[in-house]
Amino acid sequence: MESITYQVEAVSEFGCESTLGGVLQVYPMPQPFVNVLPGEGCQPFTYQLSLEDSSAFIASTEWAVNGNYSGTGVSRQWVFTEPGWYNFMLTVTSPGGCGLTLEWDSLVHVLVQAEAGILCSPEELNLQTPEVILDFTGNQADSIWWTLD
């Protein structure tokens, strides 16, 4: 915090004078540093952000994901269970009430988890005709592997 002394003098057209002075307190802007790396993974996906130096004129923090409040503190961790892109916002406030907001768009991409499923026909194997048809019934799979013992 820095103090600045000021003085204002006013003179009317008739020569009347007035002086006013005081001390103005100047608070520095918060200076947050967050080491931000993009994240991508299958659901559920865990992601964390942290202030690297929480003493840089920062009195309070507020985190938001996709525009929704998600908490306070110098470090936050989220577990994303829904696929999609996620935006992050951090608002920091200095002890003097000066605020600064940082935003990161499309920082995290959560991918759809593939689900395996098998349909067996017939459901019971007849030893007289030991033949069975197995169909993959899952979703979101780019490839599948069969292991039969």
Side-chain angles (χ1 to χ4, degrees):
M1 178 176 69
E2 184 178 334
S3 298
I4 298 175
T5 303
Y6 67 92
Q7 184 171 328
V8 177
E9 297 177 12
V11 179
S12 72
E13 64 180 286
F14 304 108
C16 298
E17 296 181 13
S18 174
T19 302
L20 177 66
V23 177
L24 181 64
Q25 301 296 327
V26 179
Y27 295 94
M29 287 294 291
Q31 300 172 2
F33 176 75
V34 181
N35 188 11
V36 177
L37 297 173
E40 182 174 77
C42 296
Q43 64 189 91
F45 182 73
T46 302
Y47 188 76
Q48 181 170 337
L49 286 173
S50 299
L51 283 169
E52 298 296 321
D53 181 5
S54 61
S55 65
F57 308 114
I58 297 172
S60 66
T61 61
E62 187 173 294
W63 299 89
V65 176
N66 285 353
N68 298 313
Y69 171 82
S70 72
T72 62
V74 296
S75 181
R76 293 291 298 165
Q77 179 174 298
W78 299 270
V79 177
F80 297 99
T81 58
E82 295 297 321
W85 287 94
Y86 292 88
N87 306 316
F88 291 78
M89 186 168 59
L90 169 63
T91 301
V92 294
T93 306
S94 73
C98 301
L100 178 69
T101 299
L102 303 173
E103 295 184 46
W104 301 277
D105 291 332
S106 302
L107 183 60
V108 169
H109 186 206
V110 179
L111 307 169
V112 175
Q113 181 70 41
E115 295 180 16
I118 297 175
L119 179 62
C120 181
S121 176
E123 290 184 21
E124 294 181 12
L125 187 61
N126 183 340
L127 292 180
Q128 301 298 325
T129 56
E131 181 178 303
V132 65
I133 298 172
L134 300 174
D135 286 321
F136 178 76
T137 61
N139 62 32
Q140 305 296 331
D142 293 327
S143 57
I144 58 172
W145 292 267
W146 293 90
T147 303
L148 305 172
D149 289 326

